[in-house]
Amino acid sequence: LADRRGIRVELGRPAHADDAPPFRHALVVTAPLDLWFGADLGTLERRSLSVDWRVVHADRAPTEATVTYPDLSVPYYRTHAPALLPFGSPVIPGRRSLIGFERAGPGEHQVDFVLRTPGNTELAAAYRARADALAARGQFFGGRGTTFYDDMGTTIAAALACADRVAHRVRNVATP
């Protein structure tokens, strides 16, 4: 998608509503929702997790796509084996597997997400209402910076719904 003609991707750009890049049909913002609006209603409390991706010998790899380890003596709390997912990544030659070791805190492959607390839920709803009002102008919000840490089914459903809204907008405002 990002390689298609007419689609521009900007990474590492400061995220501010007042400095939105120009767009012709639609803009998809994946920046933290509160920061996009200058945190003028308050800052959403977040938590970080990181995934350390390693290639391991197959006999040391988990046998399920995602495994949770509730034991505090284990230095990570979840593993991810993409090759075990439907349409997973190819197996690495030599009976090795790519495994992601997920743990709390910062890291190279860090994901920040909004904590689901009563105060955050209320604040996030206020920011979401402001974000939803921008959809009529073709500005859409998606990704971890704009939502809570949800299970994969909810995350995929939200991404597909956002894609539908963007596609509808582009179809209705695009000129031949």
Side-chain angles (χ1 to χ4, degrees):
L1 176 66
D3 291 336
R4 292 187 60 103
R5 191 178 62 120
I7 293 179
R8 188 172 86 220
V9 175
E10 293 191 22
L11 302 173
R13 184 185 209 301
H16 303 289
D18 296 334
D19 190 32
F23 60 93
R24 189 167 168 197
H25 302 302
L27 172 68
V28 177
V29 177
T30 60
L33 198 54
D34 52 339
L35 299 183
W36 183 257
F37 292 108
D40 59 353
L41 301 177
T43 302
L44 291 165
E45 187 180 358
R46 290 182 171 74
R47 178 175 168 216
S48 297
L49 63 84
S50 60
V51 181
D52 178 19
W53 291 99
R54 300 182 217 153
V55 175
V56 301
H57 195 274
D59 64 355
R60 297 186 63 203
T63 58
E64 299 295 329
T66 303
V67 178
T68 301
Y69 302 87
D71 187 345
L72 293 177
S73 68
V74 178
Y76 45 88
Y77 54 83
R78 191 171 296 127
T79 56
H80 304 276
L84 298 175
L85 292 170
F87 309 106
S89 60
V91 175
I92 300 166
R95 294 195 24 86
R96 296 181 294 161
S97 296
L98 177 66
I99 306 298
F101 296 87
E102 182 179 331
R103 62 176 177 76
E108 182 181 359
H109 302 284
Q110 181 173 321
V111 176
D112 295 328
F113 57 90
V114 178
L115 289 173
R116 193 180 305 272
T117 64
N120 258 357
T121 300
E122 185 177 317
L123 184 55
Y127 280 121
R128 174 56 56 196
R130 291 171 76 181
D132 289 346
L134 295 175
R137 297 193 335 223
Q139 194 168 324
F140 302 92
F141 294 81
R144 289 274 189 224
T146 65
T147 186
F148 296 102
Y149 186 72
D150 292 318
D151 65 34
M152 192 53 69
T154 303
T155 301
I156 291 170
L160 291 173
C162 182
D164 281 345
R165 289 190 303 273
V166 171
H168 179 76
R169 164 76 182 188
V170 170
R171 275 193 304 271
N172 289 329
V173 300
T175 55

